[in-house]
């Protein structure tokens, strides 16, 4: 509508003639007009964090509208205002704060003590009112407290949770791909049922849980433009994850089936000689299942499976160094700053080593012993560890470029009628 008072009628008419404002976004007035506007016009009210008629009932209704459209609402308000309890109950997360009370409001200093402390056995009236008013809240804060450290800590935990789940997903995908590549090579499975259960239920979760304790990284994309909640998985995120997984984990998934083939061929040569062995069939003169790997030569398969499992855990523990600080290189930010990871990562390797030794010593028999394993395999595995670590750090270059490109796109893409000059 026309603004009178600040400008005269002539000035307003001249302003309208100079600038075409026919396509300007129109915001509804009042909370009761928000739903019709969202249903019939556009979603501008959800993009603008301002609304009028700020009564407690209107605020609760606006919060419900945001929740109905997929928003997660956090409310921060006074715990001494009884009208805020309705708003606190409606929000997903509520933070109550005890405001500073002027000294002239009471002549008794004890009435201004917010909460009881160790030196007193009572709760002041203000403290009792704050406790009752903050019953729907997740946290009651003192007036001298700051919400910034809480937001920073929640951001760190959410990023760490995303990183841990991503690493856990990569671990299980590795287990699946190794089994698939081994089947395509017509070789015995590289993991037994007990090994799959051991890795999936204990080792992989332990490696992933350690990433929840990642410290704050200065380059952890705090400068990124925030985006609204999206129920669908973006194709760009899937592409980014697939490319990073392909360069980080797939080479190891290809290396381990060939490592199993090499161990099986070495064990077959020790048992029956090189004349009767072939890759990948093993002892081709045997009539037992899997050319003896399910029969007389089952110890060779057991040894090969345990070696492959230990190498997998060792390589995954090495790759997890790149997930401690996903936005920084390991020579810039040492992963040893995560003390939980420093303990859990070697612990998982030692647990898998103990499992391998107990399994081989219990169910294997000469000449299928750990001392008979090929030494060239361990040399190649040591060199492969360095290759995996360097490749994982190179992937961070790609991830940083993609993240920066997404940041620039998010700044340009407004997705509402407010962004009339946006190229999108």
């Amino acid at each position: 509508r026309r603004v009178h008072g600040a400008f005269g009628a002539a000035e307003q008419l001249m302003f309208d003639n100079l600038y075409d404002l026919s396509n300007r976004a129109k915001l509804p007035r009042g909370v009761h007009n928000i739903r019709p506007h969202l249903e019939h016009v556009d979603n501008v009210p959800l993009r603008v964090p301002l609304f009028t008629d700020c009564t407690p009932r209107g605020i609760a209704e606006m919060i419900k509208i945001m929740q109905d459209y997929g928003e997660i609402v956090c409310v921060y308000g006074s715990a001494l205002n009884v009208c805020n309890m309705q708003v606190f109950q409606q929000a997903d997360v509520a933070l109550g704060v005890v405001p500073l009370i002027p000294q002239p409001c009471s002549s008794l200093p004890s009435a201004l003590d917010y909460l009881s402390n160790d030196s007193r056995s009572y709760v002041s009236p203000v403290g009792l009112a704050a406790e009752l008013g903050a019953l729907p809240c997740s946290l009651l804060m003192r007036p001298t407290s700051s919400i910034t450290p809480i937001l920073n800590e929640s951001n760190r935990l959410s990023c760490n949770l995303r990183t841990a789940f991503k690493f856990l997903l990569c671990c299980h995908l590795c287990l699946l791909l190794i089994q698939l590549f081994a089947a395509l090579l017509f070789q015995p499975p590289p993991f037994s049922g007990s090994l799959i259960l051991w890795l999936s239920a204990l080792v992989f979760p332990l490696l992933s849980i350690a990433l929840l304790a990642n410290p704050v990284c200065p380059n952890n994309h705090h400068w990124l433009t925030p985006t609204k909640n999206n129920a669908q998985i973006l194709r760009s995120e899937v592409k980014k994850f697939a490319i990073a997984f392909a360069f980080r984990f797939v080479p190891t998934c290809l290396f381990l089936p060939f490592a199993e083939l090499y161990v099986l061929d070495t064990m077959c040569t020790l048992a029956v000689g090189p004349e009767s062995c072939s890759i990948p069939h093993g002892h081709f003169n045997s009539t037992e299942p899997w050319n003896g790997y399910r029969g007389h030569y089952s110890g060779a398969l057991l040894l090969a499976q345990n070696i492959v499992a230990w190498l997998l855990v060792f390589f995954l523990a090495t790759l997890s160094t790149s997930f401690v600080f996903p936005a920084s290189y390991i020579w810039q930010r040492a992963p040893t700053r995560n003390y939980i990871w420093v303990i859990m990562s070697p612990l998982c390797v030692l647990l898998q080593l103990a499992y391998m030794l107990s399994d081989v010593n219990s169910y294997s028999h000469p000449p299928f012993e750990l001392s008979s394993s090929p030494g060239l395999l361990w040399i190649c595995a040591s060199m492969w560890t360095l290759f995996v670590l360097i490749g994982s750090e190179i992937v961070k270059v790609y991830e940083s470029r993609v993240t920066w490109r997404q940041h620039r796109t998010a700044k340009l893409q407004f997705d509402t009628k407010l962004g009339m000059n946006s190229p999108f």
Side-chain angles (χ1 to χ4, degrees), residues 38-333:
L38 294 174
E39 294 174 358
H40 304 292
V41 184
D42 53 28
N43 64 340
V44 170
L46 295 179
R47 304 288 178 169
V48 180
L50 297 173
F51 52 91
T52 60
D53 298 344
C54 298
T55 61
R57 184 175 180 180
I59 295 174
E61 178 63 24
M62 189 62 194
I63 292 175
K64 190 173 187 310
I65 293 174
M66 293 180 179
Q67 291 171 338
D68 292 342
Y69 282 84
E71 300 292 337
I72 299 176
V73 183
C74 176
V75 172
Y76 181 75
S78 172
L80 295 180
N81 189 349
V82 68
C83 298
N84 286 342
M85 295 189 67
Q86 180 183 1
V87 181
F88 290 152
Q89 291 175 352
Q90 183 63 46
D92 297 291
V93 180
L95 302 177
V97 61
V98 183
L100 288 173
I101 301 175
Q103 182 67 31
C105 292
S106 176
S107 59
L108 300 176
S110 61
L112 301 180
D113 293 336
Y114 303 107
L115 302 174
S116 62
N117 49 37
D118 296 337
S119 61
R120 300 181 180 93
S121 60
Y122 63 88
V123 180
S124 66
V126 174
L128 179 60
E131 292 285 352
L132 294 177
L135 286 178
C137 298
S138 304
L139 181 65
L140 176 61
M141 303 176 61
R142 293 179 178 272
T144 56
S145 303
S146 174
I147 195 175
T148 304
I150 299 176
L151 296 178
N152 291 336
E153 184 66 16
S154 62
N155 184 38
R156 183 187 73 86
L157 291 177
S158 61
C159 292
N160 292 349
L161 188 63
R162 190 183 306 113
T163 301
F165 272 109
K166 183 189 296 185
F167 182 76
L168 183 62
L169 176 61
C170 292
C171 291
H172 286 90
L173 287 177
C174 283
L175 200 64
L176 175 64
L177 288 180
I178 293 171
Q179 294 278 78
L180 177 62
F181 291 151
L184 294 177
L185 294 175
F186 300 101
Q187 66 185 73
F191 303 108
S192 61
S194 59
L195 269 175
I196 293 177
L197 183 61
W198 167 266
L199 294 174
S200 302
L202 183 65
V203 178
F204 293 166
L206 286 179
L207 283 174
S208 303
I209 288 174
L211 298 177
L212 294 177
N214 289 346
V216 178
C217 180
N219 301 330
N220 204 16
H221 308 318
H222 295 300
W223 43 265
L224 289 180
T225 302
T227 57
K228 291 293 183 179
N229 298 329
N230 195 348
Q232 299 179 351
I233 301 177
L234 299 179
R235 184 178 301 177
S236 59
E237 292 294 332
V238 176
K239 180 181 177 182
K240 177 183 175 181
F241 173 79
I243 293 177
F245 176 79
F247 284 94
R248 271 198 179 115
F249 294 91
V250 172
T252 300
C253 297
L254 291 172
F255 173 80
L256 292 179
F258 287 102
E260 185 199 19
L261 279 179
Y262 183 48
V263 174
L264 289 177
D265 182 67
T266 303
M267 296 297 106
C268 180
T269 303
L270 291 176
V272 298
E275 298 83 6
S276 302
C277 296
S278 65
I279 298 178
H281 305 293
H283 187 198
F284 52 80
N285 292 328
S286 176
T287 58
E288 295 178 313
W290 289 350
N291 290 341
Y293 290 133
R294 276 294 191 184
H296 188 67
Y297 309 114
S298 60
L301 179 60
L302 180 69
L303 177 63
Q305 288 177 339
N306 279 278
I307 290 177
V308 169
W310 186 86
L311 289 176
L312 174 63
V313 174
F314 182 75
F315 290 147
L316 291 178
T318 303
L319 284 169
S320 65
T321 59
S322 298
F323 286 82
V324 176
F325 292 107
S328 299
Y329 302 107
I330 57 176
W331 56 84
Q332 295 175 342
R333 303 278 293 183

